[in-house]
Each structure stands twice: as structure tokens, then as C-alpha cells.
Amino acid sequence: MTIQIRPATIADTDTILRFVRDLAVYENAEHEVLSTPAHVHKTMFSEGTTAHGLICEQDGQAIGFAVYFFNYSTWQGRNGLYLEDLYVDPAYRGSGAGKAILRHLARIAVEKDCGRFEWSVLDWNTPSIQFYDSLGAKPQSEWIRYRMTGQALRDLAQA
């Protein structure tokens, strides 16, 4: 069985949204998914977009995806690659698909001279944490991640 990673195209919109929903179900957050085909078109496939997608296929069938973007480190004076989402269909976990996606992203980061390749994982997601540890990734415990959404975001913007 052959695993291939390719850039996502606008024709992959429904596949991307299916994987987003599947990931949200896995993370017990399905109720938080608001993304529509129009959102995906505008944010991933319009001129000037900053989000990029990958589709992982095995024998021509989409079995996973990743969404990433480039950030910037002032301390390094270099871009970094941030992995927003990575998902492999449960039936294909253990097939090497997740590692192939991460390897592909690492190659992009190296080709783009990124100083970092980063992502977040839920603290209860033991299988993923063990997988990332096995690849040599290190958790960043000294930083606390913050998020602002909804009314709090609008309030600050209007202050």
C-alpha cells in the first residue's frame, strides 16, 4: 500500500471538512466546529491566504489531512511552521500515515528555512503524545497558551 502526501486543492473542501469534524469528534469538541465550505474556500484557497493544507492518500483514497501555516520568531529572526491540525482516519492509524505527514511537513520547514516546527496536543491524548515523543519532539511546558474568542475578542477590539 502506497502512502502519498499532496497539497490540498479546492476540490478537497468536503474531504477537509469531513476530517475536521472527525477530529473534533475525537477531541470531544464537535459542537465547536463552525467551518463551512465558504470558510475553507476563503481561508485556504483564495489569493493571499496563509493557511495551507495537505491530503494524505493511500492507494488514491484520502485517509488523513494536515493544515499548517507559517509564524515568525523574533528571537530566531526566522519563520516557523505551525501545524494546526493533523488527523488520520482511525482505520489507517499505525500504517505510517501520521509519520509520513509529519515528515512531509518537516521537509517543508527545512526547505523554507524555518527555525521551528510546532504544534499543540491535548493533555489527555496519550497515544498522540507517545507518538510525538517517539519522533523526538519535546513538550514545551514553560509556556501557557492563551486564547481569546467570541465576545471577549470583540470587546478587546472595540476597547
Side-chain angles (χ1 to χ4, degrees):
M1 295 188 211
T2 304
I3 293 175
Q4 292 187 318
I5 312 295
R6 63 170 177 80
T9 68
I10 198 165
D12 295 310
T13 298
D14 290 340
T15 300
I16 291 167
L17 286 170
R18 175 174 50 90
F19 286 142
V20 167
R21 286 186 195 96
D22 290 349
L23 175 59
V25 168
Y26 177 76
E27 294 181 347
N28 301 311
E30 184 178 16
H31 62 283
E32 295 182 34
V33 176
L34 304 175
S35 189
T36 67
H39 292 129
V40 172
H41 293 174
K42 179 180 178 183
T43 58
M44 291 184 69
F45 301 114
S46 296
E47 186 176 334
T49 61
T50 57
H52 308 277
L54 298 173
I55 300 295
C56 178
E57 297 178 329
Q58 188 170 51
D59 298 325
Q61 177 182 341
I63 63 167
F65 89 123
V67 172
Y68 68 97
F69 58 90
F70 296 98
N71 53 19
Y72 185 75
S73 168
T74 55
W75 289 9
Q76 291 187 331
R78 297 164 74 187
N79 285 328
L81 189 149
Y82 189 85
L83 173 60
E84 178 64 24
D85 282 333
L86 168 65
Y87 181 79
V88 174
D89 186 285
Y92 296 92
R93 292 182 189 156
S95 69
K99 188 173 184 177
I101 294 169
L102 289 172
R103 185 181 304 117
H104 189 93
L105 288 164
R107 287 178 183 145
I108 291 171
V110 169
E111 288 170 6
K112 299 286 187 181
D113 193 33
C114 293
R116 297 177 179 156
F117 175 19
E118 299 176 300
W119 60 91
S120 297
V121 61
L122 291 165
D123 60 2
W124 56 259
N125 191 344
T126 304
S128 292
I129 292 169
Q130 291 172 342
F131 172 60
Y132 299 143
D133 287 345
S134 77
L135 297 174
K138 304 289 183 216
Q140 301 296 297
S141 59
E142 69 271 14
W143 294 93
I144 298 173
R145 184 173 168 183
Y146 277 82
R147 177 181 294 166
M148 185 176 284
T149 63
Q151 192 59 49
L153 177 60
R154 288 188 291 276
D155 289 348
L156 182 59
Q158 294 174 2

